[in-house]
Amino acid sequence: MKKNIMLLLLFTCSFKVLAQKAELIDNYINELYQKNAFNGNILVAEKGQVVFEKSYGLANEKTQQKLNTQTCFELASVSKQFTAMGIVQLQKKGKLSYDDKISKYIPELSFYGNVTIKNLLTHTGGIPDYMDLLAKEWDKSKIATNSDVIKAFEKQKPAPLFSPNEKWEYSNTGYLLLATIIERVSKQSYGEYLNKTIFKPLKMNNTFIYRRWFKPEIKNNYALGYLFSRELNKKVTPDEFGSDFYVVYLDGIVGDGMVNSNLEDLLKWDRALYGNEIINDNDRKMIFSSYEMSGQRSTDYGFGWMLTNSPDYGKIALHSGSWGGYITYIERHLDNDKTIIVLQNNALSTTEIPVKNIRRILYNQEPEKQVKIDNNILQQCEGKYVTETGKTKEIIYEDGKIYVPVGQEEKLELIPVSQTKFIVDGFSPEVSFEFTFNSEGKVTKYRVQQPEQGIDYEAKKIE
């Protein structure tokens, strides 16, 4: 009898703690929603049990259709973990090896020599960014596909950025090529293969490949992505920027993006990664391990997952995505079995990624309040900078925030943690930018640090 009473008390206390966490998360996200900093869906789970799940805002501005917890979103770069799993499944069947050179499957790119499948999985291949190449070379009245990108590389033969395994640099091109390898080895389309080997076995019934402009389809309960148009002074879908907008003319490409899903299916995916239905312990170790590069530096990136270790939270596997108005995020706390999934369909200057404070609430820590910085100081940070190796970098100021451009159109927000120091929003392991001001209050340089990657350099302001 006493034992039953104790169990009941423990259950009651546990329920109250979870309810308190849910209330704190809801209050925090509501605050963001009220100031136009969040529009989307959130799911938080502990040991597979949903602690919090809620929708905020609209799926479609024109029809005023509201989001609900079943609404599907484009996952952007969160798609990469599914591409990686597709490769893992082919390796398990003996169809390929992680150490195979990519030229075995894509002979058109044999000039990239010793780049392997594993290099592509871990972003250590050094193959240049396809978005930059197509921005200069592609006829933007047409929608490009993986095949078109490979033909452009074959024709232009852009030099590698570095030798395989020499360094780590995030590569959308690498995951595009992995999708092509999946198609050529499996003799199925990327979507068909993922559906057969991952989505159907895991009963992820609301997960699919969708290319809205390349292959239009009617999708029910679907969130449209919204960006802000300065010219029109309102939120718009990418359509309104025209066919030569990068989101539109790159819509035929798969592997680095184009998986669409919802909260429920992503939680199924999270649970499957702990189980043995599609992977075993050896696969799990490969997927969630960091790999050593030249000079004994670590990638802190496994197969489609960023990896970090924290004294407070333990080992975390995570990934973010940003594309065409969608901002997505999944975080799995491997030591403590906690899960955070965030799907947003507004990418505005006011938009915030709320993961850091959700994480703090989960671990009974006080949410952090953002440091406020005068716009004059932020505007001083804007400009062009040159590194010690002669590379030109840029900091952009927009609507009271500063950003680092990455690729042709994407940019990462710098979040202030002091009056001179910022961290890259949603990036792990943490990347910091610290700006140096002279006696006149002018920025003279910044210092970038990411100790886990061995990154530590300065860039002087030139204009």
Side-chain angles (χ1 to χ4, degrees):
M1 183 70 175
K2 286 183 179 178
K3 186 178 179 182
N4 289 339
I5 292 171
M6 285 298 294
L7 287 172
L8 181 61
L9 286 171
L10 284 171
F11 176 79
T12 304
C13 289
S14 176
F15 181 80
K16 283 183 178 178
V17 169
L18 294 180
Q20 287 169 352
K21 288 180 180 179
E23 185 179 2
L24 286 170
I25 293 170
D26 190 29
N27 290 342
Y28 169 55
I29 303 301
N30 257 319
E31 187 180 315
L32 295 180
Y33 174 67
Q34 294 301 325
K35 63 178 187 179
N36 205 29
F38 188 87
N39 192 100
N41 287 355
I42 291 179
L43 183 146
V44 180
E46 293 192 359
K47 295 180 170 40
Q49 178 184 352
V50 175
V51 174
F52 180 78
E53 184 179 20
K54 192 169 177 180
S55 302
Y56 302 80
L58 299 176
N60 187 312
E61 297 279 336
K62 186 176 181 180
T63 65
Q64 293 292 291
Q65 177 189 346
K66 291 183 178 180
L67 292 167
N68 60 65
T69 56
Q70 296 295 311
T71 304
C72 292
F73 292 69
E74 153 73 53
L75 297 185
S77 285
V78 170
S79 303
K80 289 181 171 68
Q81 56 203 252
F82 296 102
T83 303
M85 183 59 80
I87 292 291
V88 169
Q89 296 303 309
L90 289 172
Q91 187 273 338
K92 284 166 68 67
K93 293 173 184 174
K95 301 290 186 181
L96 54 75
S97 165
Y98 299 136
D99 294 323
D100 286 341
K101 293 179 182 178
I102 65 168
S103 56
K104 180 176 179 179
Y105 307 100
I106 311 177
E108 305 97 306
L109 302 186
S110 58
F111 53 90
Y112 284 126
N114 294 322
V115 176
T116 66
I117 288 175
K118 189 175 178 183
N119 288 137
L120 300 186
L121 286 165
T122 59
H123 298 292
T124 56
I127 297 177
D129 181 50
Y130 77 84
M131 295 185 197
D132 289 340
L133 183 69
L134 264 63
K136 299 169 187 172
E137 304 292 337
W138 184 248
D139 175 359
K140 296 176 184 61
S141 66
K142 301 175 183 177
I143 296 177
T145 64
N146 289 36
S147 177
D148 292 320
V149 172
I150 290 169
K151 286 175 184 175
F153 270 77
E154 183 182 17
K155 179 182 176 183
Q156 298 295 325
K157 293 182 172 55
L161 304 174
F162 49 85
S163 299
N165 221 43
E166 181 185 349
K167 59 189 290 191
W168 185 93
E169 186 164 317
Y170 190 80
S171 174
N172 285 308
T173 308
Y175 272 76
L176 175 157
L177 297 177
L178 288 171
T180 296
I181 291 170
I182 287 171
E183 293 187 330
R184 293 186 178 185
V185 173
S186 71
K187 296 181 171 53
Q188 299 174 69
S189 73
Y190 173 76
E192 288 169 342
Y193 184 76
L194 292 193
N195 194 47
K196 180 181 177 182
T197 60
I198 303 172
F199 306 151
K200 277 193 173 179
L202 299 182
K203 296 181 173 56
M204 297 173 66
N205 301 322
N206 294 297
T207 304
F208 47 87
I209 307 305
Y210 180 39
R211 293 174 284 179
R212 184 177 159 203
W213 293 278
F214 181 72
K215 190 179 178 183
E217 299 174 50
I218 295 173
K219 295 291 182 184
N220 296 318
N221 201 7
Y222 188 79
L224 296 180
Y226 289 90
L227 302 157
F228 188 78
S229 167
R230 288 178 175 276
E231 187 178 337
L232 298 174
N233 194 35
K234 67 173 185 176
K235 286 192 278 189
V236 298
T237 61
D239 312 66
E240 297 185 60
F241 288 103
S243 62
D244 60 349
F245 188 52
Y246 73 104
V247 173
V248 178
Y249 72 76
L250 297 178
D251 192 57
I253 291 162
V254 295
D256 59 338
M258 298 304 170
V259 176
N260 291 250
S261 192
N262 67 5
L263 295 176
E264 181 181 290
D265 275 12
L266 289 173
L267 184 60
K268 290 179 182 178
W269 168 242
D270 165 67
R271 302 327 293 166
L273 293 173
Y274 287 107
N276 297 312
E277 188 171 354
I278 60 172
I279 56 171
N280 57 35
D281 287 342
N282 185 59
D283 302 325
R284 214 173 343 265
K285 183 178 179 182
M286 296 292 290
I287 292 166
F288 297 111
S289 286
S290 182
Y291 292 90
E292 194 173 285
M293 299 177 288
S294 305
Q296 298 184 324
R297 290 172 295 119
S298 175
T299 58
D300 292 314
Y301 196 101
F303 291 1
W305 290 91
M306 296 176 181
L307 302 166
T308 184
N309 278 284
S310 160
D312 291 330
Y313 314 126
K315 185 175 182 179
I316 297 176
L318 60 99
H319 216 291
S320 60
S322 176
W323 187 255
Y326 298 98
I327 298 176
T328 57
Y329 195 96
I330 182 169
E331 180 169 296
R332 305 180 63 242
H333 294 220
L334 302 182
D335 293 336
N336 299 308
D337 195 357
K338 299 180 192 291
T339 311
I340 302 170
I341 301 167
V342 179
L343 305 175
Q344 298 188 72
N345 65 320
N346 278 200
L348 316 175
S349 61
T350 53
T351 301
E352 295 182 24
I353 301 174
V355 174
K356 188 172 184 180
N357 275 338
I358 292 175
R359 189 190 304 137
R360 292 183 66 83
I361 291 168
L362 267 182
Y363 286 86
N364 303 309
Q365 299 170 325
E366 282 290 320
E368 288 183 352
K369 297 203 178 293
Q370 191 168 319
V371 175
K372 299 293 182 185
I373 297 186
D374 189 273
N375 279 347
N376 291 330
I377 294 175
L378 294 173
Q379 288 168 344
Q380 280 297 319
C381 297
E382 183 177 39
K384 286 190 164 52
Y385 296 75
V386 63
T387 68
E388 296 152 341
T389 58
K391 284 189 177 179
T392 301
K393 304 283 186 177
E394 189 175 8
I395 299 292
I396 298 170
Y397 171 85
E398 286 182 5
D399 300 322
K401 296 183 179 182
I402 57 173
Y403 301 86
V404 180
V406 285
Q408 182 198 349
E409 295 285 348
E410 291 184 85
K411 58 185 185 293
L412 299 174
E413 185 184 350
L414 295 182
I415 303 293
V417 292
S418 75
Q419 293 297 308
T420 59
K421 188 174 181 180
F422 299 73
I423 58 170
V424 178
D425 191 20
F427 206 86
S428 184
E430 191 171 278
V431 181
S432 67
F433 281 66
E434 185 149 20
F435 293 85
T436 299
F437 292 76
N438 63 19
S439 58
E440 298 174 351
K442 306 287 186 184
V443 172
T444 58
K445 63 181 179 180
Y446 66 66
R447 182 183 182 185
V448 178
Q449 290 182 295
Q450 189 186 36
E452 295 85 353
Q453 291 287 346
I455 294 173
D456 189 346
Y457 68 85
E458 290 187 345
K460 293 182 179 179
K461 192 171 186 184
I462 53 175
E463 61 176 83

